[in-house]
Amino acid sequence: MNKKIFLNETDIPREWYNIQADLPTPVPPPLHPGTGQPITPDMLAPIFPMNLIEQEISQERWIKIPHEVLEKLYMWRPSPLYRATNLEKFLDTPARIYYKNEGVSPPGSHKPNTAIPQVYYNKIFGIKRISTETGAGQWGSALSFACNQFDLEAKVYMVRVSYNQKPYRRVMMETWGAKCVPSPSPETSAGKKFFEENPEHPGSLGIAISEAVEDAVTSKDTRYALGSVLNHVLMHQTIIGLEAQKQMAMINKYPNVIIGCCGGGSNFPGLSFPYVRDKIYGRDLQVIACEPTSCPTMTKGPYVYDFGDTAKTTPLLPMHSLGSGFIPAGIHAGGLRYHGMAPLVSRCITDGLIEARAFNQLETFAAGLTWARTEGFIPAPETNHAIASVIEEAKRAKEEGKEKVILFNWSGHGIIDLAAYDAYLAGKLTDYEMPSEEIERLVCDLKRC
Amino acid sequence: MNKKIFLNETDIPREWYNIQADLPTPVPPPLHPGTGQPITPDMLAPIFPMNLIEQEISQERWIKIPHEVLEKLYMWRPSPLYRATNLEKFLDTPARIYYKNEGVSPPGSHKPNTAIPQVYYNKIFGIKRISTETGAGQWGSALSFACNQFDLEAKVYMVRVSYNQKPYRRVMMETWGAKCVPSPSPETSAGKKFFEENPEHPGSLGIAISEAVEDAVTSKDTRYALGSVLNHVLMHQTIIGLEAQKQMAMINKYPNVIIGCCGGGSNFPGLSFPYVRDKIYGRDLQVIACEPTSCPTMTKGPYVYDFGDTAKTTPLLPMHSLGSGFIPAGIHAGGLRYHGMAPLVSRCITDGLIEARAFNQLETFAAGLTWARTEGFIPAPETNHAIASVIEEAKRAKEEGKEKVILFNWSGHGIIDLAAYDAYLAGKLTDYEMPSEEIERLVCDLKRC
């Protein structure tokens, strides 16, 4: 019985999987907020390079991964598939728990799976510089890493409160040669008005997105990049699930349950979509997306057209949302603090292909600590949501006396988030479950009732 | 051409290599400082369990790795062998650069390779609790991880200045359930006198060792553990080189040059000793140990009998040393700030099997930055010394027009050391080369001239 299953580089998937080709119900198009009409590719051209816009709207099932992208992915891919034998023993469960370890990339998460191809497509389109925003810093560091690999400039607008709280993420970006500034910054007109009001303004993801988009559309040879939500981002991440399918086949296993944490949508659809395809064609399979109770987008948010950003500058997207004005509580799982959800994930939820579960902050850290003390590796606070669900399912398997196969995505390590573990161990963390009356009010606003 | 070579768990080495069986000149015995006579195993019994003392003095060439140890090592071993293709291209060198990535372990370095077996042998000897000291925190976190895996208590005395500067290391230890206190502490008589003098005393490795040893000899069912210098520690690390030999054989390569950084001696002999054996039996091979110019133990220190600790509580060891009273400058490569050198490494140097090179702090960080911007992974400050030497050798290969095969040990990642990169990028780091008159004075003291 091996602890981990490696896949050779020669066996890496050569194509990404595009779930749009198989969805029982197509995803409704993004709408222009002014006209209410579907947006056209050319409307996105000042923001993204056309080759990525084509991927965004493609209905092709398989899209070839360019050789130049594979060469870079080999720096850490294929990622190992692990069996969590120590956790199984600790829980005394008949379940077999497998996980993809996405913490092995240079920035420590799954994010470079899409940062590398995005930068590559920008480069061959002639773009010299990419702007983006980052909250907790995982996406900003992945994009910085990718830009460095392809010799493009990177400019990252980092929400000021995170910039001050997580200096290591900023240093990581700078180590890879990126320029990272706290947002709101005086460098864009979107940032300037907040900055001049208060130079220590804590910022928000909404403001940072506005700054990064403005930078892209006003600077020479510059485009914007996003680390979740969009169709092409989710597609790039499917390499996780495609690898997992090969690795599970090597040990003659097929999962009964697939689990991942889900903020805007990237690592979870990355692992699950190739399996959701099997489910669409009749495979009996449970697919669980995990989120925080403090930001219960999938479990409480209605399926509506809403803006992707707080500043209401993006097209309207069909998705589960708590409203673009919603500011989630300051939990440590910064990557799960998003008011909306990727349209493709949202569609799968409404179609019953994926179910969602919400977890409190304290139970996720308890799960993360159990993990660190059994499997050794210290997980990211986001990943702890998946682990909480895995433990729940493994206990259920024990109650039911079933030898279930659970597969989940270990989306990243928590070495830069140790301050959060410190607070948890010191008893200083709290839960932030949203009161039901607040949820009702948000839902009512969204449905215009 | 693969970027990385994996070894299956079934192909992991089953025995450690003990270089004592092959050394052309045996290592002189440790001496009792009072009597000047060789120390006997029973004198060490209050400090170490007898099974580890037996390993320390064993002359057997191969020592079987227990099944229970292998089961734990599988959590991250066999570690991948990488080819640094991006660095080769950047340097435009005909050299082929390979490296073992030891940053993949849960604590992020090679240290658990010996922490796991040491805790295992303590456990089967009936020990319930282990005390140790840590400077920068790599060893303390590896021992905490290992104690957690075998369900033993861990108590770590961490040099106060590091305890305050590197809170993440402390949190890592606590996440794995260890107790970590700043040293000097009021909890031992060795620490108490310094603590009462000044509760904010910055501490030193010497004081911390004294505290940990006192804790071990005065507490119930407790022993002490050390992360470098001793023969059994070096032997446990040879799994790195034994794996590398198998992986290099898979691609039909044999190195011309072996490189590693070396503080007290653990990762460097771990990679190199299985190859040094080949050299002893006639193989033409260059083996380079790298150290900081601020602590030039191997390049400037004489080969003498000296104490292993600053507090002069250990037996006298035959080694290269700058004197047990020497306090190196506060460079960021904390793991290389040791006044002495493992007796086995020292012997190999005096016998001409290993050569030593010293590097300035700034050139090591320049090398580390080049690495991060080519190979992606951010190296530990200690590892940067090896990388500086690799770059030097790769450039030499280019000058000579030789397709040399260079193999080195990437001993750990630098994610918890990002503050050091921040200082480097901001131009705030300096070199600390030792003035030659200071070295002369130290050497003179040691040789009693």
Side-chain angles (χ1 to χ4, degrees), chain A residues 2-4 9 74-75 77 82 148-149 170-171 174-176 372-377 418 422, chain B residues 2-4 9 74-75 77 82 104 148-149 170-171 174-176 372-377 418 422:
Chain A
N2 285 330
K3 181 80 187 155
K4 32 190 193 320
E9 288 170 17
Y74 290 149
M75 293 173 79
R77 302 210 75 84
Y82 268 74
N148 171 239
Q149 282 295 318
R170 190 247 318 149
V171 181
E174 291 172 350
T175 299
W176 284 315
R373 291 182 180 181
T374 52
E375 293 298 315
F377 295 99
L418 282 167
D422 197 25
Chain B
N2 285 328
K3 180 80 188 157
K4 33 191 192 319
E9 288 170 16
Y74 290 149
M75 293 172 78
R77 303 210 73 85
Y82 268 74
V104 297
N148 171 239
Q149 282 294 320
R170 190 248 317 150
V171 181
E174 290 171 352
T175 300
W176 285 315
R373 292 182 179 181
T374 51
E375 292 299 315
F377 295 99
L418 281 167
D422 197 24

Side-chain angles (χ1 to χ4, degrees), chain B residues 131-146:
Chain B
S131 65
T132 197
E133 79 290 331
T134 199
Q138 282 279 18
W139 170 243
S141 47
L143 190 82
S144 302
F145 161 67

Side-chain angles (χ1 to χ4, degrees), chain A residues 159-179:
Chain A
V159 176
R160 179 172 277 107
V161 60
S162 297
Y163 184 93
N164 292 335
Q165 275 172 1
K166 298 199 177 187
Y168 278 22
R169 279 281 166 208
R170 190 247 318 149
V171 181
M172 196 180 252
M173 297 182 227
E174 291 172 350
T175 299
W176 284 315
K179 185 139 178 19

Side-chain angles (χ1 to χ4, degrees), chain B residues 286-308:
Chain B
Q286 201 179 1
V287 186
I288 304 171
C290 307
E291 66 182 5
T293 50
S294 56
C295 187
T297 320
M298 297 179 286
T299 50
K300 304 284 186 184
Y303 183 63
V304 293
Y305 264 109
D306 195 12
F307 292 97

